[in-house]
Amino acid sequence: MNLNICPFCNSKTLYLLKDNYRKCKDCKKKFSLKKLEIDYKIIDGFCEDKSALNLSKELEVNYRTVLNRYEIFRKLIANYLEDLYNNSIQDNTSYEEFYYFNKKQLQKKKKSIYEAINLIGFYNNKIVYTLLMPSLPTAPLENRDIQFERYLKWHKLQSQNSYTTPLKDFWIFLGNQLDKYKGIDKNNFFFYLKECEFKYNFNKPICKALLKDIYFN
């Protein structure tokens, strides 16, 4: 971390204020060096897949502080990826539908495809994009098991008879990433989905650089 450069505009014209604060002459923003250093470390921990609890203990920072930063990061990432999708999508995109089941749902003896989260993945310009689709309309009870069995057979057939693709790799990556959490509220699923998309598309050094740029600007 370069403490001689403004994190908001990259200006090198800073001057010292009281209580170890810096102020940028160009963008007029001021910031605490201590808080800035913590923010950088939290971004690094987030991109390294460290849990908010473990990172808070490692940095000796309040758990709620780290958790709040993680929530902000996910929302910023979602906005960034939505813009990237809107600006980059082309006609030659490949796509695939996917139904996400969490661990608890997969362990149930009787499963229904109508309980799954419906997703569509696109692959274009060597980047995976995802869209969260509306839930499937609930079918009559007697049809649910039949529909789910059809889906499982189709998915097994597709997996066996097709080559590995970035989208199939991403669905595996998504499942492994989300399995780390005890449970994700459906209202927040979109933001976790976008976090996985972000971490799949970019390696850790790029994730860190992009997130710092997004967060401070």
Side-chain angles (χ1 to χ4, degrees):
M1 180 179 65
N2 193 333
L3 301 180
N4 296 313
I5 295 178
C6 175
F8 302 102
C9 71
N10 294 321
S11 170
K12 294 182 180 180
T13 312
L14 305 177
Y15 52 93
L16 184 64
L17 299 175
K18 293 180 179 179
D19 301 325
N20 205 27
Y21 270 69
R22 296 287 191 277
K23 185 171 182 179
C24 177
K25 185 177 180 181
D26 292 328
C27 71
K28 310 300 181 186
K29 292 183 179 179
K30 62 180 181 178
F31 53 92
S32 161
L33 292 181
K34 183 177 179 180
K35 179 181 177 298
L36 180 63
E37 186 175 7
I38 290 173
D39 282 341
Y40 270 66
K41 288 180 178 179
I42 295 177
I43 288 174
D44 288 345
F46 177 83
C47 294
E48 292 286 347
D49 276 338
K50 294 181 180 180
S51 71
L53 180 59
N54 289 341
L55 187 60
S56 67
K57 292 177 180 178
E58 179 183 321
L59 300 179
E60 297 182 348
V61 175
N62 184 275
Y63 167 69
R64 178 53 61 179
T65 297
V66 178
L67 187 62
N68 286 342
R69 292 290 192 287
Y70 275 26
E71 291 173 353
I72 291 171
F73 296 161
R74 291 185 180 108
K75 291 177 182 178
L76 290 173
I77 285 170
N79 290 333
Y80 172 79
L81 292 175
E82 290 291 282
D83 289 340
L84 191 65
Y85 168 79
N86 291 328
N87 293 329
S88 302
I89 204 70
Q90 296 178 6
D91 292 337
N92 61 354
T93 301
S94 61
Y95 68 92
E96 184 176 298
E97 191 171 5
F98 182 76
Y99 297 99
Y100 171 75
F101 295 91
N102 60 37
K103 254 185 178 180
K104 188 176 180 180
Q105 289 170 326
L106 289 173
Q107 290 170 352
K108 290 170 64 176
K109 289 184 179 179
K110 288 192 175 182
K111 306 175 184 67
S112 168
I113 196 171
Y114 301 93
E115 297 175 354
I117 295 177
N118 189 12
L119 306 171
I120 290 184
F122 299 90
Y123 183 68
N124 185 71
N125 291 334
K126 297 183 179 180
I127 293 180
V128 168
Y129 304 93
T130 60
L131 292 179
L132 183 60
M133 304 301 290
S135 300
L136 295 174
T138 304
L141 287 172
E142 61 269 18
N143 292 335
R144 293 186 191 180
D145 291 340
I146 297 172
Q147 292 295 334
F148 185 73
E149 289 300 323
R150 285 178 181 171
Y151 166 70
L152 287 181
K153 289 177 182 178
W154 173 87
H155 190 271
K156 183 177 181 181
L157 188 64
Q158 289 291 105
S159 299
Q160 290 175 343
N161 296 339
S162 61
Y163 295 101
T164 300
T165 66
L167 284 172
K168 287 181 174 59
D169 283 344
F170 174 73
W171 303 133
I172 295 170
F173 176 81
L174 177 70
N176 291 336
Q177 287 288 105
L178 298 185
D179 281 349
K180 297 175 184 177
Y181 301 99
K182 292 181 180 179
I184 299 174
D185 189 291
K186 277 195 173 183
N187 294 326
N188 295 322
F189 183 86
F190 173 76
F191 299 108
Y192 285 86
L193 171 66
K194 289 299 169 180
E195 176 189 346
C196 293
E197 183 182 321
F198 184 71
K199 291 178 177 178
Y200 180 82
N201 284 320
F202 307 109
N203 62 35
K204 288 179 182 179
I206 294 177
C207 280
K208 292 175 184 180
L210 282 173
L211 187 51
K212 286 170 185 174
D213 185 61
I214 296 166
Y215 181 68
F216 290 109
N217 296 293

mmCIF file of all heavy atoms in Angstrom, residues 27-69:
data_model
loop_
_atom_site.group_PDB
_atom_site.id
_atom_site.type_symbol
_atom_site.label_atom_id
_atom_site.label_comp_id
_atom_site.label_asym_id
_atom_site.label_seq_id
_atom_site.Cartn_x
_atom_site.Cartn_y
_atom_site.Cartn_z
ATOM 1 N N CYS A 27 -8.515 16.141 -5.136
ATOM 2 C CA CYS A 27 -9.934 15.750 -5.008
ATOM 3 C C CYS A 27 -10.569 16.228 -3.706
ATOM 4 O O CYS A 27 -11.767 16.034 -3.483
ATOM 5 C CB CYS A 27 -10.092 14.239 -5.147
ATOM 6 S SG CYS A 27 -9.449 13.277 -3.757
ATOM 7 N N LYS A 28 -9.743 16.809 -2.823
ATOM 8 C CA LYS A 28 -10.211 17.411 -1.561
ATOM 9 C C LYS A 28 -10.690 16.397 -0.528
ATOM 10 O O LYS A 28 -11.224 16.777 0.517
ATOM 11 C CB LYS A 28 -11.354 18.417 -1.811
ATOM 12 C CG LYS A 28 -11.077 19.453 -2.889
ATOM 13 C CD LYS A 28 -9.871 20.298 -2.578
ATOM 14 C CE LYS A 28 -9.634 21.359 -3.667
ATOM 15 N NZ LYS A 28 -8.380 22.104 -3.448
ATOM 16 N N LYS A 29 -10.501 15.106 -0.788
ATOM 17 C CA LYS A 29 -10.944 14.089 0.164
ATOM 18 C C LYS A 29 -9.869 13.859 1.222
ATOM 19 O O LYS A 29 -8.682 13.954 0.947
ATOM 20 C CB LYS A 29 -11.262 12.779 -0.550
ATOM 21 C CG LYS A 29 -12.489 12.876 -1.451
ATOM 22 C CD LYS A 29 -12.808 11.531 -2.068
ATOM 23 C CE LYS A 29 -14.058 11.645 -2.937
ATOM 24 N NZ LYS A 29 -14.407 10.352 -3.579
ATOM 25 N N LYS A 30 -10.330 13.558 2.431
ATOM 26 C CA LYS A 30 -9.384 13.249 3.496
ATOM 27 C C LYS A 30 -9.628 11.840 4.005
ATOM 28 O O LYS A 30 -10.737 11.308 3.895
ATOM 29 C CB LYS A 30 -9.501 14.261 4.639
ATOM 30 C CG LYS A 30 -10.829 14.313 5.344
ATOM 31 C CD LYS A 30 -10.784 15.370 6.454
ATOM 32 C CE LYS A 30 -12.111 15.423 7.199
ATOM 33 N NZ LYS A 30 -12.070 16.402 8.314
ATOM 34 N N PHE A 31 -8.587 11.250 4.545
ATOM 35 C CA PHE A 31 -8.706 9.869 4.972
ATOM 36 C C PHE A 31 -7.705 9.568 6.083
ATOM 37 O O PHE A 31 -6.674 10.227 6.218
ATOM 38 C CB PHE A 31 -8.466 8.916 3.791
ATOM 39 C CG PHE A 31 -7.187 9.161 3.049
ATOM 40 C CD1 PHE A 31 -6.027 8.497 3.391
ATOM 41 C CD2 PHE A 31 -7.144 10.062 1.995
ATOM 42 C CE1 PHE A 31 -4.847 8.719 2.714
ATOM 43 C CE2 PHE A 31 -5.961 10.291 1.293
ATOM 44 C CZ PHE A 31 -4.805 9.623 1.655
ATOM 45 N N SER A 32 -8.079 8.567 6.880
ATOM 46 C CA SER A 32 -7.233 8.090 7.966
ATOM 47 C C SER A 32 -6.312 7.000 7.435
ATOM 48 O O SER A 32 -6.765 6.049 6.794
ATOM 49 C CB SER A 32 -8.098 7.540 9.098
ATOM 50 O OG SER A 32 -7.355 6.697 9.932
ATOM 51 N N LEU A 33 -5.032 7.129 7.699
ATOM 52 C CA LEU A 33 -4.090 6.115 7.257
ATOM 53 C C LEU A 33 -4.376 4.765 7.909
ATOM 54 O O LEU A 33 -4.255 3.717 7.282
ATOM 55 C CB LEU A 33 -2.656 6.554 7.566
ATOM 56 C CG LEU A 33 -2.130 7.754 6.768
ATOM 57 C CD1 LEU A 33 -0.697 8.040 7.161
ATOM 58 C CD2 LEU A 33 -2.227 7.505 5.276
ATOM 59 N N LYS A 34 -4.762 4.797 9.182
ATOM 60 C CA LYS A 34 -5.053 3.555 9.896
ATOM 61 C C LYS A 34 -6.264 2.850 9.291
ATOM 62 O O LYS A 34 -6.249 1.638 9.038
ATOM 63 C CB LYS A 34 -5.303 3.845 11.376
ATOM 64 C CG LYS A 34 -5.534 2.589 12.210
ATOM 65 C CD LYS A 34 -5.710 2.942 13.677
ATOM 66 C CE LYS A 34 -5.963 1.677 14.508
ATOM 67 N NZ LYS A 34 -6.146 1.985 15.947
ATOM 68 N N LYS A 35 -7.327 3.631 9.036
ATOM 69 C CA LYS A 35 -8.531 3.050 8.444
ATOM 70 C C LYS A 35 -8.243 2.564 7.028
ATOM 71 O O LYS A 35 -8.724 1.507 6.615
ATOM 72 C CB LYS A 35 -9.654 4.089 8.418
ATOM 73 C CG LYS A 35 -10.951 3.588 7.794
ATOM 74 C CD LYS A 35 -12.001 4.675 7.795
ATOM 75 C CE LYS A 35 -13.279 4.199 7.113
ATOM 76 N NZ LYS A 35 -13.074 3.858 5.689
ATOM 77 N N LEU A 36 -7.470 3.314 6.288
ATOM 78 C CA LEU A 36 -7.116 2.936 4.921
ATOM 79 C C LEU A 36 -6.357 1.608 4.913
ATOM 80 O O LEU A 36 -6.629 0.718 4.095
ATOM 81 C CB LEU A 36 -6.268 4.026 4.275
ATOM 82 C CG LEU A 36 -5.814 3.778 2.839
ATOM 83 C CD1 LEU A 36 -7.008 3.688 1.904
ATOM 84 C CD2 LEU A 36 -4.881 4.896 2.389
ATOM 85 N N GLU A 37 -5.434 1.453 5.836
ATOM 86 C CA GLU A 37 -4.654 0.227 5.923
ATOM 87 C C GLU A 37 -5.552 -0.958 6.253
ATOM 88 O O GLU A 37 -5.397 -2.048 5.690
ATOM 89 C CB GLU A 37 -3.559 0.371 6.979
ATOM 90 C CG GLU A 37 -2.602 -0.807 7.023
ATOM 91 C CD GLU A 37 -1.446 -0.585 7.991
ATOM 92 O OE1 GLU A 37 -1.465 0.426 8.727
ATOM 93 O OE2 GLU A 37 -0.541 -1.428 8.007
ATOM 94 N N ILE A 38 -6.519 -0.753 7.163
ATOM 95 C CA ILE A 38 -7.458 -1.825 7.513
ATOM 96 C C ILE A 38 -8.322 -2.193 6.318
ATOM 97 O O ILE A 38 -8.546 -3.379 6.029
ATOM 98 C CB ILE A 38 -8.332 -1.398 8.714
ATOM 99 C CG1 ILE A 38 -7.487 -1.334 9.989
ATOM 100 C CG2 ILE A 38 -9.501 -2.375 8.893
ATOM 101 C CD1 ILE A 38 -8.207 -0.763 11.188
ATOM 102 N N ASP A 39 -8.803 -1.181 5.588
ATOM 103 C CA ASP A 39 -9.629 -1.442 4.409
ATOM 104 C C ASP A 39 -8.863 -2.271 3.377
ATOM 105 O O ASP A 39 -9.412 -3.195 2.777
ATOM 106 C CB ASP A 39 -10.087 -0.122 3.772
ATOM 107 C CG ASP A 39 -11.238 0.519 4.528
ATOM 108 O OD1 ASP A 39 -11.914 -0.192 5.293
ATOM 109 O OD2 ASP A 39 -11.465 1.731 4.360
ATOM 110 N N TYR A 40 -7.599 -1.946 3.165
ATOM 111 C CA TYR A 40 -6.783 -2.696 2.221
ATOM 112 C C TYR A 40 -6.640 -4.151 2.668
ATOM 113 O O TYR A 40 -6.720 -5.074 1.858
ATOM 114 C CB TYR A 40 -5.402 -2.046 2.091
ATOM 115 C CG TYR A 40 -5.314 -0.990 1.013
ATOM 116 C CD1 TYR A 40 -6.028 0.196 1.103
ATOM 117 C CD2 TYR A 40 -4.502 -1.178 -0.102
ATOM 118 C CE1 TYR A 40 -5.942 1.167 0.125
ATOM 119 C CE2 TYR A 40 -4.413 -0.202 -1.092
ATOM 120 C CZ TYR A 40 -5.134 0.960 -0.973
ATOM 121 O OH TYR A 40 -5.051 1.913 -1.953
ATOM 122 N N LYS A 41 -6.438 -4.356 3.950
ATOM 123 C CA LYS A 41 -6.270 -5.713 4.473
ATOM 124 C C LYS A 41 -7.573 -6.507 4.390
ATOM 125 O O LYS A 41 -7.565 -7.717 4.140
ATOM 126 C CB LYS A 41 -5.763 -5.665 5.915
ATOM 127 C CG LYS A 41 -4.304 -5.223 6.024
ATOM 128 C CD LYS A 41 -3.841 -5.182 7.477
ATOM 129 C CE LYS A 41 -2.374 -4.783 7.582
ATOM 130 N NZ LYS A 41 -1.896 -4.713 8.973
ATOM 131 N N ILE A 42 -8.697 -5.824 4.607
ATOM 132 C CA ILE A 42 -9.991 -6.507 4.505
ATOM 133 C C ILE A 42 -10.265 -6.892 3.050
ATOM 134 O O ILE A 42 -10.777 -7.984 2.772
ATOM 135 C CB ILE A 42 -11.129 -5.630 5.070
ATOM 136 C CG1 ILE A 42 -10.941 -5.421 6.578
ATOM 137 C CG2 ILE A 42 -12.485 -6.277 4.808
ATOM 138 C CD1 ILE A 42 -11.972 -4.506 7.214
ATOM 139 N N ILE A 43 -9.920 -6.031 2.115
ATOM 140 C CA ILE A 43 -10.075 -6.366 0.700
ATOM 141 C C ILE A 43 -9.224 -7.577 0.344
ATOM 142 O O ILE A 43 -9.686 -8.504 -0.340
ATOM 143 C CB ILE A 43 -9.693 -5.157 -0.182
ATOM 144 C CG1 ILE A 43 -10.780 -4.065 -0.091
ATOM 145 C CG2 ILE A 43 -9.506 -5.581 -1.649
ATOM 146 C CD1 ILE A 43 -10.427 -2.778 -0.804
ATOM 147 N N ASP A 44 -7.986 -7.593 0.819
ATOM 148 C CA ASP A 44 -7.106 -8.741 0.558
ATOM 149 C C ASP A 44 -7.695 -10.024 1.137
ATOM 150 O O ASP A 44 -7.690 -11.073 0.479
ATOM 151 C CB ASP A 44 -5.721 -8.490 1.154
ATOM 152 C CG ASP A 44 -4.922 -7.447 0.383
ATOM 153 O OD1 ASP A 44 -5.310 -7.122 -0.754
ATOM 154 O OD2 ASP A 44 -3.917 -6.944 0.929
ATOM 155 N N GLY A 45 -8.210 -9.947 2.370
ATOM 156 C CA GLY A 45 -8.804 -11.120 3.009
ATOM 157 C C GLY A 45 -10.037 -11.615 2.277
ATOM 158 O O GLY A 45 -10.239 -12.827 2.129
ATOM 159 N N PHE A 46 -10.856 -10.688 1.807
ATOM 160 C CA PHE A 46 -12.053 -11.040 1.042
ATOM 161 C C PHE A 46 -11.673 -11.789 -0.230
ATOM 162 O O PHE A 46 -12.275 -12.823 -0.561
ATOM 163 C CB PHE A 46 -12.820 -9.761 0.697
ATOM 164 C CG PHE A 46 -14.039 -9.976 -0.161
ATOM 165 C CD1 PHE A 46 -15.250 -10.344 0.404
ATOM 166 C CD2 PHE A 46 -13.978 -9.782 -1.535
ATOM 167 C CE1 PHE A 46 -16.381 -10.526 -0.383
ATOM 168 C CE2 PHE A 46 -15.092 -9.964 -2.329
ATOM 169 C CZ PHE A 46 -16.299 -10.335 -1.757
ATOM 170 N N CYS A 47 -10.678 -11.292 -0.943
ATOM 171 C CA CYS A 47 -10.252 -11.912 -2.194
ATOM 172 C C CYS A 47 -9.512 -13.225 -1.964
ATOM 173 O O CYS A 47 -9.415 -14.052 -2.873
ATOM 174 C CB CYS A 47 -9.375 -10.950 -2.993
ATOM 175 S SG CYS A 47 -10.262 -9.477 -3.573
ATOM 176 N N GLU A 48 -9.009 -13.418 -0.754
ATOM 177 C CA GLU A 48 -8.351 -14.676 -0.390
ATOM 178 C C GLU A 48 -9.351 -15.688 0.165
ATOM 179 O O GLU A 48 -8.978 -16.760 0.655
ATOM 180 C CB GLU A 48 -7.263 -14.420 0.657
ATOM 181 C CG GLU A 48 -6.067 -13.624 0.150
ATOM 182 C CD GLU A 48 -5.151 -14.426 -0.749
ATOM 183 O OE1 GLU A 48 -5.312 -15.656 -0.781
ATOM 184 O OE2 GLU A 48 -4.293 -13.818 -1.417
ATOM 185 N N ASP A 49 -10.637 -15.361 0.126
ATOM 186 C CA ASP A 49 -11.714 -16.245 0.600
ATOM 187 C C ASP A 49 -11.669 -16.501 2.101
ATOM 188 O O ASP A 49 -12.104 -17.558 2.569
ATOM 189 C CB ASP A 49 -11.688 -17.594 -0.134
ATOM 190 C CG ASP A 49 -12.417 -17.534 -1.465
ATOM 191 O OD1 ASP A 49 -13.257 -16.644 -1.641
ATOM 192 O OD2 ASP A 49 -12.133 -18.375 -2.331
ATOM 193 N N LYS A 50 -11.176 -15.552 2.862
ATOM 194 C CA LYS A 50 -11.187 -15.692 4.314
ATOM 195 C C LYS A 50 -12.563 -15.282 4.844
ATOM 196 O O LYS A 50 -13.142 -14.304 4.382
ATOM 197 C CB LYS A 50 -10.093 -14.831 4.942
ATOM 198 C CG LYS A 50 -8.685 -15.269 4.585
ATOM 199 C CD LYS A 50 -7.624 -14.406 5.252
ATOM 200 C CE LYS A 50 -6.226 -14.874 4.885
ATOM 201 N NZ LYS A 50 -5.167 -14.040 5.516
ATOM 202 N N SER A 51 -13.071 -16.036 5.793
ATOM 203 C CA SER A 51 -14.379 -15.696 6.359
ATOM 204 C C SER A 51 -14.271 -14.399 7.150
ATOM 205 O O SER A 51 -13.194 -14.040 7.647
ATOM 206 C CB SER A 51 -14.882 -16.815 7.267
ATOM 207 O OG SER A 51 -14.132 -16.861 8.463
ATOM 208 N N ALA A 52 -15.389 -13.699 7.267
ATOM 209 C CA ALA A 52 -15.394 -12.434 8.006
ATOM 210 C C ALA A 52 -14.983 -12.653 9.462
ATOM 211 O O ALA A 52 -14.261 -11.832 10.039
ATOM 212 C CB ALA A 52 -16.785 -11.791 7.928
ATOM 213 N N LEU A 53 -15.415 -13.763 10.046
ATOM 214 C CA LEU A 53 -15.090 -14.055 11.445
ATOM 215 C C LEU A 53 -13.587 -14.291 11.618
ATOM 216 O O LEU A 53 -12.953 -13.709 12.508
ATOM 217 C CB LEU A 53 -15.880 -15.263 11.934
ATOM 218 C CG LEU A 53 -15.649 -15.682 13.384
ATOM 219 C CD1 LEU A 53 -15.995 -14.550 14.344
ATOM 220 C CD2 LEU A 53 -16.446 -16.939 13.725
ATOM 221 N N ASN A 54 -13.027 -15.139 10.765
ATOM 222 C CA ASN A 54 -11.595 -15.443 10.879
ATOM 223 C C ASN A 54 -10.728 -14.213 10.604
ATOM 224 O O ASN A 54 -9.713 -13.990 11.274
ATOM 225 C CB ASN A 54 -11.217 -16.572 9.923
ATOM 226 C CG ASN A 54 -11.755 -17.913 10.359
ATOM 227 O OD1 ASN A 54 -12.105 -18.104 11.527
ATOM 228 N ND2 ASN A 54 -11.844 -18.856 9.441
ATOM 229 N N LEU A 55 -11.145 -13.414 9.642
ATOM 230 C CA LEU A 55 -10.368 -12.225 9.313
ATOM 231 C C LEU A 55 -10.434 -11.195 10.434
ATOM 232 O O LEU A 55 -9.443 -10.529 10.741
ATOM 233 C CB LEU A 55 -10.862 -11.610 8.001
ATOM 234 C CG LEU A 55 -10.026 -10.443 7.458
ATOM 235 C CD1 LEU A 55 -8.593 -10.872 7.191
ATOM 236 C CD2 LEU A 55 -10.657 -9.865 6.199
ATOM 237 N N SER A 56 -11.603 -11.069 11.063
ATOM 238 C CA SER A 56 -11.743 -10.121 12.172
ATOM 239 C C SER A 56 -10.808 -10.496 13.322
ATOM 240 O O SER A 56 -10.206 -9.625 13.962
ATOM 241 C CB SER A 56 -13.196 -10.058 12.655
ATOM 242 O OG SER A 56 -13.593 -11.281 13.262
ATOM 243 N N LYS A 57 -10.662 -11.798 13.566
ATOM 244 C CA LYS A 57 -9.750 -12.262 14.616
ATOM 245 C C LYS A 57 -8.297 -12.028 14.209
ATOM 246 O O LYS A 57 -7.478 -11.610 15.029
ATOM 247 C CB LYS A 57 -9.983 -13.748 14.887
ATOM 248 C CG LYS A 57 -11.333 -14.056 15.526
ATOM 249 C CD LYS A 57 -11.523 -15.554 15.703
ATOM 250 C CE LYS A 57 -12.879 -15.864 16.336
ATOM 251 N NZ LYS A 57 -13.097 -17.336 16.467
ATOM 252 N N GLU A 58 -7.999 -12.284 12.952
ATOM 253 C CA GLU A 58 -6.630 -12.122 12.444
ATOM 254 C C GLU A 58 -6.188 -10.661 12.519
ATOM 255 O O GLU A 58 -5.054 -10.358 12.895
ATOM 256 C CB GLU A 58 -6.576 -12.617 11.006
ATOM 257 C CG GLU A 58 -5.212 -12.494 10.350
ATOM 258 C CD GLU A 58 -5.238 -12.940 8.901
ATOM 259 O OE1 GLU A 58 -5.928 -13.937 8.595
ATOM 260 O OE2 GLU A 58 -4.575 -12.296 8.074
ATOM 261 N N LEU A 59 -7.091 -9.740 12.158
ATOM 262 C CA LEU A 59 -6.757 -8.313 12.138
ATOM 263 C C LEU A 59 -7.038 -7.624 13.473
ATOM 264 O O LEU A 59 -6.699 -6.453 13.645
ATOM 265 C CB LEU A 59 -7.552 -7.600 11.029
ATOM 266 C CG LEU A 59 -7.329 -8.088 9.592
ATOM 267 C CD1 LEU A 59 -8.205 -7.292 8.637
ATOM 268 C CD2 LEU A 59 -5.864 -7.969 9.207
ATOM 269 N N GLU A 60 -7.699 -8.362 14.383
ATOM 270 C CA GLU A 60 -8.120 -7.800 15.670
ATOM 271 C C GLU A 60 -9.030 -6.588 15.443
ATOM 272 O O GLU A 60 -8.878 -5.521 16.031
ATOM 273 C CB GLU A 60 -6.899 -7.422 16.518
ATOM 274 C CG GLU A 60 -6.042 -8.623 16.893
ATOM 275 C CD GLU A 60 -4.860 -8.252 17.773
ATOM 276 O OE1 GLU A 60 -4.566 -7.050 17.908
ATOM 277 O OE2 GLU A 60 -4.227 -9.170 18.337
ATOM 278 N N VAL A 61 -9.987 -6.808 14.550
ATOM 279 C CA VAL A 61 -10.972 -5.791 14.190
ATOM 280 C C VAL A 61 -12.353 -6.343 14.519
ATOM 281 O O VAL A 61 -12.584 -7.557 14.442
ATOM 282 C CB VAL A 61 -10.883 -5.450 12.680
ATOM 283 C CG1 VAL A 61 -11.976 -4.492 12.256
ATOM 284 C CG2 VAL A 61 -9.518 -4.853 12.349
ATOM 285 N N ASN A 62 -13.271 -5.470 14.871
ATOM 286 C CA ASN A 62 -14.634 -5.889 15.193
ATOM 287 C C ASN A 62 -15.242 -6.703 14.050
ATOM 288 O O ASN A 62 -15.146 -6.318 12.882
ATOM 289 C CB ASN A 62 -15.490 -4.646 15.479
ATOM 290 C CG ASN A 62 -16.899 -5.010 15.913
ATOM 291 O OD1 ASN A 62 -17.771 -5.240 15.083
ATOM 292 N ND2 ASN A 62 -17.124 -5.051 17.215
ATOM 293 N N TYR A 63 -15.880 -7.821 14.395
ATOM 294 C CA TYR A 63 -16.478 -8.703 13.391
ATOM 295 C C TYR A 63 -17.484 -7.974 12.517
ATOM 296 O O TYR A 63 -17.518 -8.150 11.289
ATOM 297 C CB TYR A 63 -17.149 -9.886 14.084
ATOM 298 C CG TYR A 63 -18.058 -10.699 13.197
ATOM 299 C CD1 TYR A 63 -17.552 -11.473 12.158
ATOM 300 C CD2 TYR A 63 -19.446 -10.689 13.410
ATOM 301 C CE1 TYR A 63 -18.387 -12.222 11.339
ATOM 302 C CE2 TYR A 63 -20.288 -11.436 12.597
ATOM 303 C CZ TYR A 63 -19.759 -12.190 11.567
ATOM 304 O OH TYR A 63 -20.594 -12.926 10.763
ATOM 305 N N ARG A 64 -18.297 -7.133 13.140
ATOM 306 C CA ARG A 64 -19.323 -6.400 12.392
ATOM 307 C C ARG A 64 -18.692 -5.468 11.362
ATOM 308 O O ARG A 64 -19.226 -5.281 10.259
ATOM 309 C CB ARG A 64 -20.207 -5.624 13.369
ATOM 310 C CG ARG A 64 -21.288 -4.761 12.733
ATOM 311 C CD ARG A 64 -22.168 -5.492 11.778
ATOM 312 N NE ARG A 64 -22.898 -6.596 12.391
ATOM 313 C CZ ARG A 64 -23.744 -7.363 11.729
ATOM 314 N NH1 ARG A 64 -23.943 -7.167 10.430
ATOM 315 N NH2 ARG A 64 -24.355 -8.349 12.342
ATOM 316 N N THR A 65 -17.540 -4.900 11.688
ATOM 317 C CA THR A 65 -16.841 -4.014 10.751
ATOM 318 C C THR A 65 -16.443 -4.775 9.498
ATOM 319 O O THR A 65 -16.663 -4.314 8.365
ATOM 320 C CB THR A 65 -15.576 -3.417 11.409
ATOM 321 O OG1 THR A 65 -15.969 -2.622 12.528
ATOM 322 C CG2 THR A 65 -14.802 -2.553 10.424
ATOM 323 N N VAL A 66 -15.866 -5.958 9.696
ATOM 324 C CA VAL A 66 -15.440 -6.773 8.557
ATOM 325 C C VAL A 66 -16.652 -7.246 7.761
ATOM 326 O O VAL A 66 -16.665 -7.194 6.525
ATOM 327 C CB VAL A 66 -14.607 -7.980 9.026
ATOM 328 C CG1 VAL A 66 -14.211 -8.864 7.843
ATOM 329 C CG2 VAL A 66 -13.365 -7.509 9.774
ATOM 330 N N LEU A 67 -17.690 -7.703 8.454
ATOM 331 C CA LEU A 67 -18.892 -8.194 7.783
ATOM 332 C C LEU A 67 -19.536 -7.097 6.947
ATOM 333 O O LEU A 67 -19.968 -7.333 5.803
ATOM 334 C CB LEU A 67 -19.887 -8.724 8.816
ATOM 335 C CG LEU A 67 -21.135 -9.418 8.255
ATOM 336 C CD1 LEU A 67 -20.756 -10.658 7.458
ATOM 337 C CD2 LEU A 67 -22.104 -9.777 9.375
ATOM 338 N N ASN A 68 -19.604 -5.879 7.493
ATOM 339 C CA ASN A 68 -20.181 -4.758 6.751
ATOM 340 C C ASN A 68 -19.385 -4.460 5.487
ATOM 341 O O ASN A 68 -19.952 -4.161 4.431
ATOM 342 C CB ASN A 68 -20.240 -3.503 7.631
ATOM 343 C CG ASN A 68 -21.328 -3.581 8.680
ATOM 344 O OD1 ASN A 68 -22.250 -4.390 8.575
ATOM 345 N ND2 ASN A 68 -21.242 -2.755 9.711
ATOM 346 N N ARG A 69 -18.051 -4.538 5.594
ATOM 347 C CA ARG A 69 -17.211 -4.316 4.415
ATOM 348 C C ARG A 69 -17.487 -5.387 3.363
ATOM 349 O O ARG A 69 -17.599 -5.090 2.168
ATOM 350 C CB ARG A 69 -15.724 -4.355 4.783
ATOM 351 C CG ARG A 69 -15.247 -3.224 5.636
ATOM 352 C CD ARG A 69 -15.203 -1.888 4.922
ATOM 353 N NE ARG A 69 -14.464 -0.919 5.712
ATOM 354 C CZ ARG A 69 -14.891 -0.330 6.822
ATOM 355 N NH1 ARG A 69 -16.097 -0.614 7.287
ATOM 356 N NH2 ARG A 69 -14.140 0.544 7.457
#
